[in-house]
Amino acid sequence: MMRTRPLKVALLGCGVVGSEVARIMTTHAGDLAARIGAPVELAGVAVRRPDRVREGIDPALITTDATALVKRGDIDVVVEVIGGIEPARALITTAFEHGASVVSANKALLAQDGAALHAAAEQHGKDLYYEAAVAGAIPLIRPLRESLAGDKINRVMGIVNGTTNFILDKMDATGAGYQEALDEATALGYAEADPTADVEGFDAAAKAAILAGIAFHTRVRLDDVYREGMTEVTAADFASAKEMGCTIKLLAICERAGDGASVTARVHPAMIPLSHPLASVRGAYNAVFVESDAAGQLMFYGPGAGGSPTASAVLGDLVAVCRNRIGGATGPGESAYAALPVSPMGDVVTRYHISLDVADKPGVLAQVATVFAEHGVSIDTVRQSGKDGEASLVVVTHRASDAALTGTVEALRKLDTVRGVASIMRVEGE
């Protein structure tokens, strides 16, 4: 039997995502009510610019006083899609204090203060859901914290930023340089006027922190995530990757150490074999590859950004939270019981592709090989080409720690026969 009193929803933000949330709530009102067991009513919309025309939204619902809206006391669920740290943090906390559960898409806030927000939700017996914070429409957080709750997750590796994947895919497919590909992404609306958060890996790092925390039942903050952007990736790097049967992606990688005693979280460009499922992810799409003890290998794929895809994830959370509200229960909260230490990047073990500019003369390869041996880094393959006294030396290693590789490169730079280190790229997915 359906409850007649509607559940009231406050919407904070009415931009690309917020406007789609409001539209879907209106156009799918009957379906949402049937799925929830009660009608849902948009009770207020907090915005910064009240004079803008917002099609399909009653102007009487518009307010610039977000704090007063979340303090009303009759609000059942607050949907936060304004982003940033403040005032979002204060508004979410205030919502809990005044009896509302929260659905958020705020990856930056959750990566920085997720533990405090979860604690506030638990203190007041309310829900905090955030499926839309990581991979747009792709169901990922709920499978990790519910469907795989009985399994042991060992690795989460994925493409979690559509802008960077579009740029790298364009470089791979056309041979374009980074700036040319970025300009096209900007013209098509995939990249912001200031793309720093995307191309320098800040966006992906926030998502990696959230994923690692859920996957490993450990608090992982944004500061725990190693971050390396993709602005230095060149057409020459893609040419080298193709020679190895690889492509290049900006990856978020969260993994449990072999002994299970620690975890790592990192974001950086990496070569991956063309045979790996993530290599085929094109354009602005996202995909996340999960490896666990019992389920084995799983991949989640789909649009990772945009108004409608992100709103889909928000509405999914809204339905779940409203159902909990009617049933007088709450869904899963923070699970951080494992409390594993987060190891520094220096402890991470992987393969490396190193391109060196060297003198084209006898003995250079022997000198370079000696440096690798002295630092305990085993060489898998070497490729050398050159003429007129200059040469290029490409070394692909077996698995080695980041610290060992860093020491190796520092020693290589001191050799008179090494003119420079053209590029260093990690090799993942093998």
Side-chain angles (χ1 to χ4, degrees), residues 17 115 139 197 284 321 372:
V17 176
V321 169
F372 275 87

PDB file of all heavy atoms in Angstrom, residues 17 115 139 197 284 321 372:
ATOM      1  N   VAL A  17      23.627  19.123 -13.678  1.00  0.00           N
ATOM      2  CA  VAL A  17      23.127  17.924 -13.013  1.00  0.00           C
ATOM      3  C   VAL A  17      21.828  18.213 -12.264  1.00  0.00           C
ATOM      4  O   VAL A  17      20.842  17.478 -12.389  1.00  0.00           O
ATOM      5  CB  VAL A  17      24.183  17.348 -12.052  1.00  0.00           C
ATOM      6  CG1 VAL A  17      23.614  16.146 -11.294  1.00  0.00           C
ATOM      7  CG2 VAL A  17      25.437  16.942 -12.815  1.00  0.00           C
ATOM      8  N   ALA A 115      34.996  10.742   6.250  1.00  0.00           N
ATOM      9  CA  ALA A 115      34.861  10.121   7.574  1.00  0.00           C
ATOM     10  C   ALA A 115      33.998  10.975   8.499  1.00  0.00           C
ATOM     11  O   ALA A 115      33.117  10.460   9.204  1.00  0.00           O
ATOM     12  CB  ALA A 115      36.242   9.906   8.191  1.00  0.00           C
ATOM     13  N   PRO A 139      26.914   2.113 -12.099  1.00  0.00           N
ATOM     14  CA  PRO A 139      26.727   1.584 -10.735  1.00  0.00           C
ATOM     15  C   PRO A 139      28.040   0.977 -10.253  1.00  0.00           C
ATOM     16  O   PRO A 139      28.507  -0.018 -10.799  1.00  0.00           O
ATOM     17  CB  PRO A 139      25.648   0.505 -10.912  1.00  0.00           C
ATOM     18  CG  PRO A 139      25.039   0.774 -12.252  1.00  0.00           C
ATOM     19  CD  PRO A 139      26.120   1.377 -13.088  1.00  0.00           C
ATOM     20  N   ALA A 197      41.912  20.445 -13.104  1.00  0.00           N
ATOM     21  CA  ALA A 197      41.428  19.381 -12.212  1.00  0.00           C
ATOM     22  C   ALA A 197      41.407  18.033 -12.913  1.00  0.00           C
ATOM     23  O   ALA A 197      41.676  16.995 -12.297  1.00  0.00           O
ATOM     24  CB  ALA A 197      40.038  19.727 -11.687  1.00  0.00           C
ATOM     25  N   ALA A 284      34.960   9.684 -24.220  1.00  0.00           N
ATOM     26  CA  ALA A 284      34.786  10.222 -22.862  1.00  0.00           C
ATOM     27  C   ALA A 284      34.170   9.217 -21.904  1.00  0.00           C
ATOM     28  O   ALA A 284      33.665   9.599 -20.848  1.00  0.00           O
ATOM     29  CB  ALA A 284      33.918  11.480 -22.922  1.00  0.00           C
ATOM     30  N   VAL A 321      17.358   5.909  -0.609  1.00  0.00           N
ATOM     31  CA  VAL A 321      17.265   6.652   0.656  1.00  0.00           C
ATOM     32  C   VAL A 321      15.798   6.832   1.058  1.00  0.00           C
ATOM     33  O   VAL A 321      15.446   6.707   2.240  1.00  0.00           O
ATOM     34  CB  VAL A 321      17.980   8.014   0.528  1.00  0.00           C
ATOM     35  CG1 VAL A 321      17.670   8.905   1.734  1.00  0.00           C
ATOM     36  CG2 VAL A 321      19.484   7.810   0.406  1.00  0.00           C
ATOM     37  N   PHE A 372      71.175  -0.266 -13.659  1.00  0.00           N
ATOM     38  CA  PHE A 372      69.945  -0.968 -13.296  1.00  0.00           C
ATOM     39  C   PHE A 372      70.245  -2.106 -12.314  1.00  0.00           C
ATOM     40  O   PHE A 372      69.523  -2.295 -11.325  1.00  0.00           O
ATOM     41  CB  PHE A 372      69.261  -1.516 -14.552  1.00  0.00           C
ATOM     42  CG  PHE A 372      68.371  -0.524 -15.247  1.00  0.00           C
ATOM     43  CD1 PHE A 372      68.892   0.338 -16.197  1.00  0.00           C
ATOM     44  CD2 PHE A 372      67.026  -0.445 -14.947  1.00  0.00           C
ATOM     45  CE1 PHE A 372      68.077   1.253 -16.850  1.00  0.00           C
ATOM     46  CE2 PHE A 372      66.203   0.469 -15.590  1.00  0.00           C
ATOM     47  CZ  PHE A 372      66.730   1.327 -16.542  1.00  0.00           C
TER      48      PHE A 372
END
